[in-house]
Coordinates of all heavy atoms in Angstrom, one line a residue:
M20 N 14.6 18.9 25.4 CA 15.6 18.0 26.0 C 14.8 16.7 26.3 O 13.8 16.6 26.8 CB 16.1 18.6 27.3 CG 16.8 17.6 28.2 SD 17.3 18.4 29.7 CE 18.8 17.6 30.0
L21 N 15.5 15.6 25.9 CA 15.0 14.2 26.2 C 16.0 13.7 27.3 O 17.2 13.7 27.1 CB 15.0 13.3 25.0 CG 14.0 13.6 23.9 CD1 14.2 12.7 22.7 CD2 12.6 13.4 24.4
V22 N 15.4 13.1 28.3 CA 16.2 12.4 29.3 C 15.6 11.0 29.5 O 14.5 10.8 29.8 CB 16.3 13.1 30.6 CG1 16.9 12.2 31.7 CG2 17.0 14.4 30.5
A23 N 16.5 10.0 29.2 CA 16.1 8.6 29.5 C 16.8 8.2 30.8 O 18.0 8.4 30.9 CB 16.5 7.7 28.4
F24 N 16.0 7.7 31.7 CA 16.7 7.3 33.0 C 16.1 6.0 33.5 O 15.0 5.6 33.2 CB 16.6 8.5 34.0 CG 15.2 8.6 34.7 CD1 15.0 8.2 36.0 CD2 14.2 9.3 34.0 CE1 13.7 8.3 36.6 CE2 13.0 9.5 34.6 CZ 12.7 9.0 35.9
S25 N 16.9 5.4 34.3 CA 16.5 4.1 35.0 C 17.0 4.3 36.4 O 18.1 4.6 36.7 CB 17.2 3.0 34.3 OG 17.0 1.8 35.1
V26 N 16.0 4.1 37.3 CA 16.3 4.2 38.7 C 15.8 2.9 39.4 O 14.7 2.5 39.1 CB 15.8 5.5 39.4 CG1 14.3 5.6 39.2 CG2 16.2 5.6 40.8
A27 N 16.6 2.3 40.3 CA 16.2 1.1 40.9 C 16.9 1.0 42.3 O 18.0 1.4 42.4 CB 16.5 -0.1 40.1
P28 N 16.2 0.4 43.2 CA 16.8 0.1 44.5 C 17.8 -1.0 44.5 O 17.6 -1.9 43.6 CB 15.6 -0.2 45.4 CG 14.6 -0.9 44.5 CD 14.8 -0.1 43.2
S29 N 18.7 -1.0 45.3 CA 19.6 -2.2 45.5 C 19.8 -2.4 47.0 O 19.7 -1.5 47.8 CB 20.9 -2.1 44.7 OG 21.7 -1.0 45.2
G30 N 20.1 -3.7 47.3 CA 20.3 -4.0 48.7 C 19.0 -3.9 49.6 O 19.1 -3.5 50.7
A31 N 17.9 -4.2 48.9 CA 16.6 -3.9 49.6 C 15.9 -5.2 50.1 O 14.7 -5.4 50.0 CB 15.6 -3.2 48.6
G32 N 16.7 -6.2 50.6 CA 16.0 -7.3 51.2 C 16.2 -8.6 50.4 O 17.1 -8.7 49.5
D33 N 15.3 -9.5 50.6 CA 15.4 -10.9 50.1 C 14.9 -11.0 48.6 O 15.3 -11.9 47.9 CB 14.7 -11.9 50.9 CG 15.2 -11.9 52.4 OD1 16.4 -11.7 52.5 OD2 14.5 -12.3 53.3
S34 N 14.1 -10.1 48.2 CA 13.5 -10.2 46.9 C 14.3 -9.5 45.8 O 14.9 -8.5 46.1 CB 12.1 -9.7 46.9 OG 11.5 -9.6 45.6
D35 N 14.4 -10.0 44.6 CA 15.1 -9.3 43.5 C 14.1 -8.5 42.7 O 14.5 -7.9 41.8 CB 15.8 -10.3 42.6 CG 14.9 -11.3 41.9 OD1 13.7 -11.3 42.2 OD2 15.4 -12.0 41.0
S36 N 12.8 -8.4 43.1 CA 11.8 -7.6 42.4 C 12.0 -6.1 42.8 O 12.1 -5.8 44.0 CB 10.4 -8.1 42.8 OG 9.5 -7.2 42.1
V37 N 12.0 -5.3 41.8 CA 12.1 -3.8 42.1 C 10.8 -3.1 41.6 O 10.8 -1.9 41.7 CB 13.3 -3.2 41.4 CG1 14.6 -3.9 42.0 CG2 13.3 -3.4 39.9
S38 N 9.8 -3.8 41.2 CA 8.6 -3.2 40.6 C 7.9 -2.2 41.5 O 7.4 -1.2 41.0 CB 7.7 -4.3 40.1 OG 7.2 -5.1 41.1
A39 N 7.8 -2.5 42.8 CA 7.1 -1.5 43.6 C 7.8 -0.2 43.7 O 7.2 0.9 43.6 CB 6.9 -2.1 45.0
A40 N 9.1 -0.2 43.9 CA 9.9 1.0 44.0 C 9.9 1.7 42.6 O 9.8 2.9 42.6 CB 11.3 0.7 44.4
V41 N 10.0 1.0 41.5 CA 10.0 1.6 40.2 C 8.7 2.2 39.9 O 8.6 3.3 39.3 CB 10.4 0.6 39.1 CG1 10.2 1.1 37.7 CG2 11.9 0.1 39.3
A42 N 7.6 1.6 40.4 CA 6.3 2.1 40.2 C 6.1 3.5 40.8 O 5.5 4.4 40.3 CB 5.2 1.2 40.7
E43 N 6.7 3.7 42.0 CA 6.7 5.0 42.7 C 7.4 6.0 41.8 O 6.9 7.2 41.7 CB 7.4 4.9 44.0 CG 6.6 4.1 45.0 CD 5.2 4.7 45.3 OE1 5.1 6.0 45.4 OE2 4.3 3.9 45.4
A44 N 8.5 5.7 41.2 CA 9.2 6.6 40.3 C 8.4 6.9 39.1 O 8.3 8.1 38.7 CB 10.6 6.0 39.9
V45 N 7.8 5.9 38.5 CA 7.0 6.2 37.3 C 5.8 7.0 37.6 O 5.3 7.9 36.9 CB 6.6 4.8 36.6 CG1 5.6 5.0 35.5 CG2 7.8 4.1 36.1
R46 N 5.2 6.8 38.8 CA 4.0 7.6 39.2 C 4.4 9.1 39.3 O 3.7 10.0 38.8 CB 3.6 7.2 40.6 CG 2.3 7.9 41.1 CD 1.8 7.4 42.4 NE 1.1 6.1 42.1 CZ 1.6 4.9 42.6 NH1 2.7 4.8 43.3 NH2 1.0 3.8 42.3
I47 N 5.6 9.4 39.7 CA 6.1 10.8 39.8 C 6.2 11.4 38.4 O 5.8 12.5 38.1 CB 7.4 10.9 40.6 CG1 7.1 10.7 42.1 CG2 8.1 12.2 40.4 CD1 8.3 10.4 42.9
V48 N 6.8 10.6 37.5 CA 6.9 11.0 36.1 C 5.5 11.3 35.5 O 5.3 12.4 34.9 CB 7.6 10.0 35.2 CG1 7.6 10.3 33.8 CG2 9.1 9.8 35.7
R49 N 4.6 10.4 35.7 CA 3.3 10.6 35.1 C 2.6 11.8 35.7 O 1.9 12.5 35.0 CB 2.4 9.3 35.3 CG 2.9 8.2 34.5 CD 2.0 6.9 34.7 NE 2.5 5.9 33.8 CZ 2.0 4.7 33.7 NH1 1.0 4.3 34.5 NH2 2.5 3.8 32.9
D50 N 2.7 12.0 37.0 CA 2.1 13.1 37.7 C 2.7 14.4 37.3 O 2.1 15.5 37.5 CB 2.1 13.0 39.2 CG 1.2 11.9 39.7 OD1 0.4 11.4 38.9 OD2 1.4 11.5 40.9
S51 N 3.9 14.4 36.7 CA 4.6 15.7 36.3 C 3.9 16.4 35.2 O 4.0 17.6 35.0 CB 6.0 15.4 35.9 OG 6.1 14.8 34.6
G52 N 3.1 15.6 34.3 CA 2.5 16.2 33.2 C 3.4 16.4 32.0 O 2.9 16.8 30.9
L53 N 4.7 16.0 32.1 CA 5.6 16.1 31.0 C 5.4 15.0 30.0 O 5.0 13.9 30.5 CB 7.0 16.1 31.5 CG 7.5 17.3 32.3 CD1 8.9 17.1 32.9 CD2 7.4 18.6 31.5
P54 N 5.6 15.1 28.7 CA 5.6 14.0 27.8 C 6.6 13.0 28.3 O 7.7 13.3 28.7 CB 6.0 14.6 26.5 CG 5.8 16.1 26.6 CD 6.0 16.4 28.1
H55 N 6.2 11.7 28.3 CA 7.0 10.6 28.8 C 6.7 9.3 28.1 O 5.6 9.2 27.5 CB 6.9 10.5 30.3 CG 5.6 10.1 30.7 ND1 4.5 11.0 30.9 CD2 5.0 8.9 31.0 CE1 3.5 10.4 31.2 NE2 3.7 9.1 31.3
E56 N 7.5 8.4 28.3 CA 7.3 7.0 27.8 C 8.1 6.1 28.6 O 9.3 6.3 29.0 CB 7.8 6.9 26.3 CG 7.6 5.6 25.6 CD 8.1 5.8 24.2 OE1 7.3 6.3 23.4 OE2 9.2 5.3 23.9
T57 N 7.5 5.0 29.1 CA 8.2 4.0 29.9 C 8.2 2.7 29.1 O 7.2 2.2 28.6 CB 7.5 3.8 31.2 OG1 7.5 5.0 31.9 CG2 8.1 2.7 32.1
N58 N 9.4 2.0 29.1 CA 9.5 0.7 28.6 C 10.2 -0.2 29.6 O 10.4 0.2 30.8 CB 10.3 0.7 27.2 CG 11.7 1.3 27.3 OD1 12.4 0.9 28.2 ND2 12.1 2.1 26.4
A59 N 10.6 -1.4 29.2 CA 11.1 -2.4 30.2 C 12.5 -1.9 30.8 O 12.8 -2.4 31.9 CB 11.4 -3.7 29.5
M60 N 13.2 -1.0 30.2 CA 14.5 -0.6 30.7 C 14.6 0.8 31.2 O 15.4 1.1 32.1 CB 15.5 -0.9 29.7 CG 15.7 -2.3 29.2 SD 16.5 -3.3 30.5 CE 18.1 -2.7 30.4
F61 N 13.9 1.7 30.6 CA 14.1 3.2 30.9 C 12.7 3.9 30.8 O 11.8 3.4 30.2 CB 15.0 3.8 29.8 CG 16.4 3.5 30.0 CD1 16.9 2.4 29.3 CD2 17.2 4.2 30.8 CE1 18.3 2.1 29.4 CE2 18.6 3.9 30.9 CZ 19.1 2.9 30.2
T62 N 12.7 5.1 31.4 CA 11.6 6.0 31.3 C 12.2 7.2 30.6 O 13.3 7.7 31.1 CB 11.0 6.4 32.6 OG1 10.3 5.2 33.1 CG2 10.0 7.5 32.5
T63 N 11.6 7.7 29.5 CA 12.1 8.9 28.8 C 11.1 10.0 29.1 O 9.9 9.8 29.0 CB 12.2 8.6 27.3 OG1 13.1 7.5 27.1 CG2 12.8 9.8 26.6
V64 N 11.7 11.2 29.5 CA 10.9 12.4 29.8 C 11.4 13.5 28.9 O 12.6 13.6 28.6 CB 11.1 12.8 31.3 CG1 10.2 14.0 31.6 CG2 10.8 11.6 32.2
E65 N 10.4 14.3 28.4 CA 10.8 15.5 27.6 C 10.4 16.8 28.2 O 9.3 16.9 28.8 CB 10.1 15.4 26.2 CG 10.6 16.5 25.2 CD 10.1 16.2 23.8 OE1 9.3 15.3 23.6 OE2 10.6 16.9 22.9
G66 N 11.2 17.8 28.2 CA 10.9 19.1 28.7 C 12.2 19.9 28.8 O 13.2 19.6 28.3
E67 N 12.1 21.0 29.6 CA 13.2 21.9 29.8 C 14.1 21.3 30.9 O 13.6 20.5 31.7 CB 12.7 23.3 30.2 CG 11.9 24.0 29.1 CD 12.7 24.2 27.8 OE1 13.9 24.6 27.9 OE2 12.2 24.0 26.7
W68 N 15.4 21.7 30.9 CA 16.4 21.1 31.8 C 15.8 21.1 33.2 O 15.9 20.0 33.9 CB 17.6 22.0 31.7 CG 18.7 21.5 32.7 CD1 18.9 21.9 34.0 CD2 19.8 20.6 32.4 NE1 19.9 21.2 34.5 CE2 20.5 20.5 33.6 CE3 20.1 19.9 31.2 CZ2 21.6 19.6 33.6 CZ3 21.3 19.1 31.3 CH2 22.0 19.0 32.5
E69 N 15.4 22.2 33.8 CA 15.0 22.3 35.2 C 13.9 21.4 35.5 O 13.9 20.7 36.5 CB 14.7 23.7 35.6 CG 15.8 24.7 35.6 CD 16.1 25.2 34.1 OE1 15.3 25.0 33.2 OE2 17.2 25.8 34.0
E70 N 12.9 21.3 34.7 CA 11.7 20.5 35.0 C 12.0 19.0 34.8 O 11.5 18.2 35.6 CB 10.5 21.0 34.1 CG 10.7 20.9 32.7 CD 9.5 21.5 31.9 OE1 8.6 22.1 32.5 OE2 9.6 21.5 30.6
V71 N 12.8 18.7 33.8 CA 13.1 17.2 33.6 C 14.0 16.7 34.8 O 13.7 15.7 35.4 CB 13.7 17.0 32.3 CG1 14.3 15.6 32.2 CG2 12.8 17.3 31.1
M72 N 15.0 17.5 35.1 CA 15.9 17.1 36.1 C 15.2 17.1 37.5 O 15.6 16.2 38.4 CB 17.2 18.0 36.2 CG 18.0 17.8 34.9 SD 18.3 16.1 34.4 CE 19.6 15.7 35.5
D73 N 14.3 17.9 37.7 CA 13.5 17.9 39.0 C 12.7 16.6 39.1 O 12.6 16.0 40.1 CB 12.5 19.1 39.0 CG 11.7 19.1 40.3 OD1 12.3 19.1 41.4 OD2 10.5 19.0 40.2
V74 N 12.1 16.2 38.0 CA 11.4 14.9 37.9 C 12.3 13.7 38.2 O 12.0 12.8 39.0 CB 10.6 14.7 36.6 CG1 10.1 13.3 36.5 CG2 9.5 15.7 36.5
V75 N 13.5 13.7 37.6 CA 14.4 12.7 37.8 C 14.9 12.6 39.3 O 14.9 11.6 39.9 CB 15.7 12.8 36.9 CG1 16.8 11.8 37.3 CG2 15.3 12.6 35.4
R76 N 15.1 13.8 39.9 CA 15.5 13.9 41.3 C 14.4 13.4 42.2 O 14.7 12.5 43.1 CB 15.8 15.4 41.7 CG 16.2 15.5 43.1 CD 16.3 17.0 43.5 NE 15.1 17.8 43.3 CZ 14.0 17.7 44.0 NH1 13.9 17.0 45.0 NH2 12.9 18.5 43.7
R77 N 13.2 13.8 42.0 CA 12.1 13.3 42.8 C 11.8 11.8 42.7 O 11.6 11.1 43.6 CB 10.8 14.1 42.5 CG 10.9 15.6 43.0 CD 9.7 16.4 42.9 NE 9.3 16.6 41.5 CZ 8.2 16.2 41.0 NH1 7.3 15.5 41.6 NH2 7.9 16.5 39.7
A78 N 11.9 11.3 41.5 CA 11.8 9.9 41.2 C 12.9 9.1 41.9 O 12.6 8.1 42.6 CB 11.8 9.6 39.7
T79 N 14.1 9.6 41.9 CA 15.2 9.0 42.6 C 15.0 9.0 44.1 O 15.3 8.0 44.8 CB 16.5 9.7 42.2 OG1 16.7 9.6 40.7 CG2 17.7 9.0 42.8
E80 N 14.6 10.1 44.6 CA 14.3 10.2 46.0 C 13.3 9.2 46.5 O 13.4 8.6 47.6 CB 13.9 11.7 46.4 CG 15.1 12.6 46.3 CD 14.7 14.1 46.5 OE1 13.5 14.4 46.5 OE2 15.6 14.9 46.6
A81 N 12.2 9.0 45.7 CA 11.2 8.1 46.0 C 11.7 6.7 46.1 O 11.3 5.9 47.0 CB 10.0 8.2 45.0
V82 N 12.6 6.3 45.2 CA 13.2 5.0 45.2 C 14.1 4.9 46.4 O 14.1 3.9 47.1 CB 13.8 4.7 43.8 CG1 14.7 3.4 43.9 CG2 12.8 4.6 42.7
S83 N 14.9 5.9 46.6 CA 15.9 5.9 47.7 C 15.2 5.7 49.1 O 15.8 5.2 50.0 CB 16.7 7.2 47.7 OG 17.5 7.2 46.5
A84 N 14.0 6.2 49.2 CA 13.3 6.1 50.5 C 12.9 4.6 50.8 O 12.6 4.3 51.9 CB 12.0 6.9 50.4
R85 N 13.0 3.8 49.8 CA 12.6 2.4 49.9 C 13.8 1.4 50.1 O 13.6 0.2 50.3 CB 11.8 1.9 48.7 CG 10.5 2.8 48.6 CD 9.7 2.3 47.4 NE 9.1 1.0 47.6 CZ 7.8 0.8 47.8 NH1 7.0 1.8 47.9 NH2 7.4 -0.4 47.9
A86 N 15.0 1.9 49.9 CA 16.2 1.0 50.0 C 17.4 1.8 50.5 O 17.5 3.0 50.3 CB 16.4 0.5 48.6
P87 N 18.4 1.0 51.0 CA 19.6 1.7 51.5 C 20.5 2.1 50.4 O 21.5 2.9 50.7 CB 20.2 0.6 52.3 CG 19.7 -0.7 51.8 CD 18.3 -0.4 51.3
R88 N 20.3 1.7 49.2 CA 21.2 2.0 48.1 C 20.3 2.2 46.8 O 19.4 1.4 46.6 CB 22.2 1.0 47.9 CG 23.4 1.3 47.0 CD 24.4 0.2 47.1 NE 25.6 0.6 46.5 CZ 26.7 -0.2 46.5 NH1 26.7 -1.3 47.1 NH2 27.8 0.3 45.9
T89 N 20.7 3.1 45.9 CA 19.9 3.3 44.7 C 20.9 3.4 43.5 O 21.9 4.0 43.6 CB 19.1 4.6 44.8 OG1 18.3 4.6 46.0 CG2 18.3 4.9 43.6
S90 N 20.4 2.8 42.4 CA 21.2 2.9 41.1 C 20.4 3.8 40.2 O 19.2 3.7 40.0 CB 21.2 1.5 40.5 OG 21.7 1.6 39.2
L91 N 21.1 4.8 39.6 CA 20.5 5.7 38.7 C 21.4 5.8 37.4 O 22.6 6.0 37.5 CB 20.5 7.1 39.3 CG 20.0 8.2 38.4 CD1 18.5 8.0 38.0 CD2 20.1 9.6 39.2
V92 N 20.8 5.6 36.3 CA 21.4 5.7 35.0 C 20.7 6.8 34.2 O 19.5 6.8 34.1 CB 21.4 4.4 34.2 CG1 22.0 4.6 32.8 CG2 22.1 3.3 34.9
I93 N 21.4 7.8 33.6 CA 20.8 8.9 32.9 C 21.5 9.0 31.5 O 22.7 9.0 31.4 CB 20.9 10.2 33.6 CG1 20.3 10.2 35.0 CG2 20.3 11.4 32.8 CD1 20.5 11.4 35.8
K94 N 20.7 9.2 30.5 CA 21.2 9.6 29.2 C 20.3 10.7 28.7 O 19.1 10.7 28.7 CB 21.0 8.4 28.2 CG 21.6 8.7 26.8 CD 21.5 7.5 25.9 CE 22.1 7.8 24.6 NZ 22.1 6.7 23.7
A95 N 21.0 11.8 28.2 CA 20.3 13.0 27.8 C 20.6 13.4 26.3 O 21.7 13.2 25.9 CB 20.6 14.2 28.7
D96 N 19.5 13.8 25.6 CA 19.7 14.4 24.3 C 19.3 15.9 24.4 O 18.1 16.2 24.6 CB 18.8 13.7 23.3 CG 18.9 14.3 21.9 OD1 19.6 15.2 21.7 OD2 18.2 13.7 21.0
I97 N 20.3 16.8 24.5 CA 20.1 18.2 24.7 C 20.1 18.9 23.3 O 21.2 19.0 22.7 CB 21.1 18.7 25.7 CG1 21.1 17.9 27.0 CG2 20.9 20.2 25.9 CD1 22.3 18.1 27.8
R98 N 19.0 19.3 22.9 CA 18.9 20.0 21.6 C 17.9 21.2 21.7 O 16.7 21.1 21.4 CB 18.3 18.9 20.6 CG 18.5 19.3 19.1 CD 18.0 18.2 18.2 NE 18.2 18.5 16.8 CZ 17.6 17.9 15.8 NH1 16.8 16.9 16.1 NH2 17.8 18.3 14.6
P99 N 18.5 22.3 22.0 CA 17.7 23.5 22.2 C 16.9 23.8 21.0 O 17.3 23.7 19.8 CB 18.7 24.6 22.5 CG 19.9 23.9 23.1 CD 19.9 22.6 22.3
G100 N 15.7 24.3 21.2 CA 14.8 24.7 20.1 C 14.0 23.6 19.5 O 13.2 23.9 18.6
H101 N 14.1 22.4 20.0 CA 13.4 21.3 19.4 C 12.4 20.7 20.5 O 12.9 20.5 21.6 CB 14.3 20.2 18.9 CG 15.1 20.6 17.7 ND1 16.2 21.4 17.7 CD2 14.8 20.3 16.4 CE1 16.6 21.6 16.5 NE2 15.8 20.9 15.7
T102 N 11.2 20.5 20.1 CA 10.2 19.9 21.0 C 9.5 18.8 20.3 O 9.7 18.6 19.1 CB 9.1 21.0 21.4 OG1 8.5 21.5 20.2 CG2 9.7 22.1 22.2
N103 N 8.8 18.0 21.0 CA 8.1 16.8 20.5 C 9.0 15.8 19.9 O 8.7 15.0 19.0 CB 7.0 17.2 19.5 CG 6.0 16.1 19.4 OD1 5.7 15.3 20.3 ND2 5.4 16.0 18.2
Q104 N 10.3 15.8 20.4 CA 11.2 14.8 19.9 C 11.0 13.4 20.4 O 11.5 12.4 19.8 CB 12.7 15.3 20.2 CG 13.1 16.5 19.5 CD 13.0 16.4 18.0 OE1 13.7 15.7 17.4 NE2 12.0 17.2 17.4
L105 N 10.3 13.2 21.5 CA 9.9 11.9 22.0 C 9.2 11.1 20.9 O 9.4 9.9 20.7 CB 9.0 12.0 23.2 CG 8.7 10.8 24.0 CD1 10.0 10.2 24.6 CD2 7.7 11.1 25.1
R106 N 8.4 11.7 20.1 CA 7.7 11.1 19.0 C 8.4 11.3 17.6 O 8.5 10.4 16.8 CB 6.3 11.6 18.9 CG 5.5 11.5 20.2 CD 5.0 10.1 20.4 NE 4.2 10.0 21.7 CZ 4.7 9.4 22.7 NH1 5.8 8.8 22.7 NH2 4.0 9.4 23.8
E107 N 8.8 12.5 17.4 CA 9.4 12.8 16.0 C 10.6 12.0 15.7 O 10.8 11.7 14.5 CB 9.6 14.3 15.9 CG 8.3 15.1 15.8 CD 8.4 16.6 15.6 OE1 9.6 17.0 15.4 OE2 7.4 17.3 15.7
K108 N 11.5 11.8 16.7 CA 12.7 11.0 16.4 C 12.3 9.6 15.9 O 12.9 9.1 15.0 CB 13.6 10.9 17.6 CG 14.3 12.2 18.0 CD 15.1 12.1 19.2 CE 16.4 11.3 18.9 NZ 17.4 11.4 19.9
V109 N 11.3 9.0 16.5 CA 10.9 7.7 16.1 C 10.2 7.7 14.8 O 10.5 6.9 13.9 CB 9.9 7.1 17.2 CG1 9.4 5.7 16.7 CG2 10.6 6.9 18.5
E110 N 9.4 8.8 14.5 CA 8.8 8.9 13.2 C 9.8 9.0 12.1 O 9.6 8.5 11.0 CB 7.8 10.1 13.2 CG 6.6 9.9 14.1 CD 5.8 11.2 14.2 OE1 6.1 12.2 13.6 OE2 4.8 11.1 15.1
R111 N 10.9 9.7 12.3 CA 11.9 9.9 11.3 C 12.5 8.5 10.9 O 12.8 8.2 9.8 CB 13.0 10.9 11.7 CG 12.5 12.3 11.6 CD 13.6 13.3 11.8 NE 14.2 13.3 13.1 CZ 13.8 14.0 14.1 NH1 12.7 14.8 14.1 NH2 14.5 14.0 15.3
V112 N 12.8 7.7 11.9 CA 13.3 6.4 11.7 C 12.3 5.5 10.9 O 12.6 4.8 10.0 CB 13.7 5.7 13.0 CG1 14.1 4.2 12.8 CG2 14.9 6.4 13.7
E113 N 11.0 5.6 11.3 CA 10.0 4.8 10.7 C 9.9 5.2 9.2 O 9.7 4.4 8.3 CB 8.6 5.0 11.4 CG 8.5 4.3 12.7 CD 8.7 2.8 12.7 OE1 8.4 2.2 11.6 OE2 9.1 2.3 13.7
Q114 N 10.0 6.5 8.9 CA 10.0 7.0 7.5 C 11.1 6.4 6.7 O 10.9 6.0 5.6 CB 10.0 8.5 7.5 CG 8.8 9.2 7.9 CD 8.9 10.7 8.1 OE1 10.0 11.2 7.9 NE2 7.8 11.3 8.4
Q115 N 12.3 6.3 7.3 CA 13.4 5.7 6.7 C 13.2 4.2 6.4 O 13.5 3.7 5.3 CB 14.7 5.8 7.5 CG 15.2 7.2 7.6 CD 15.7 7.8 6.3 OE1 16.3 7.1 5.5 NE2 15.3 9.0 6.1
L116 N 12.6 3.5 7.3 CA 12.3 2.1 7.2 C 11.2 1.9 6.1 O 11.3 0.9 5.3 CB 11.8 1.5 8.5 CG 12.9 1.4 9.6 CD1 12.2 1.0 10.9 CD2 13.9 0.4 9.2
E117 N 10.2 2.7 6.0 CA 9.2 2.6 4.9 C 9.8 2.8 3.6 O 9.4 2.2 2.6 CB 8.1 3.7 5.2 CG 7.2 3.3 6.3 CD 6.2 4.5 6.6 OE1 6.1 5.4 5.9 OE2 5.6 4.3 7.7
G118 N 10.9 3.7 3.5 CA 11.6 3.9 2.2 C 12.3 2.7 1.8 O 12.7 2.6 0.6
D119 N 12.6 1.8 2.7 CA 13.4 0.5 2.3 C 12.5 -0.5 1.6 O 13.0 -1.4 1.0 CB 13.9 -0.2 3.6 CG 15.1 0.6 4.2 OD1 15.6 1.6 3.6 OD2 15.4 0.3 5.4
N120 N 11.2 -0.3 1.7 CA 10.2 -1.3 1.0 C 10.1 -1.1 -0.4 O 10.2 -0.2 -1.1 CB 8.9 -1.2 1.7 CG 8.9 -1.6 3.1 OD1 9.7 -2.4 3.5 ND2 8.0 -1.1 4.0

């Protein structure tokens, strides 16, 4: 299972920067030991349902502890029996692009 999620505080004061709170969420993902990738908009985590959703919950709780309101967006690719999709999905697209040359 792949889960891409974005969690951010809102209503947290005068600054529009969310990097400190987001860093707390990313730290939880990294400490989980699950395969993951973070980009400018989302963090994607790969694993079994229970372990991935536990990481998302804990990351959300960490952000929520820093602000009176929290925004959470989740997108999941649930494909039983498939692992290493965090990398393999991208590799399949790259192979298609190489075939265009």
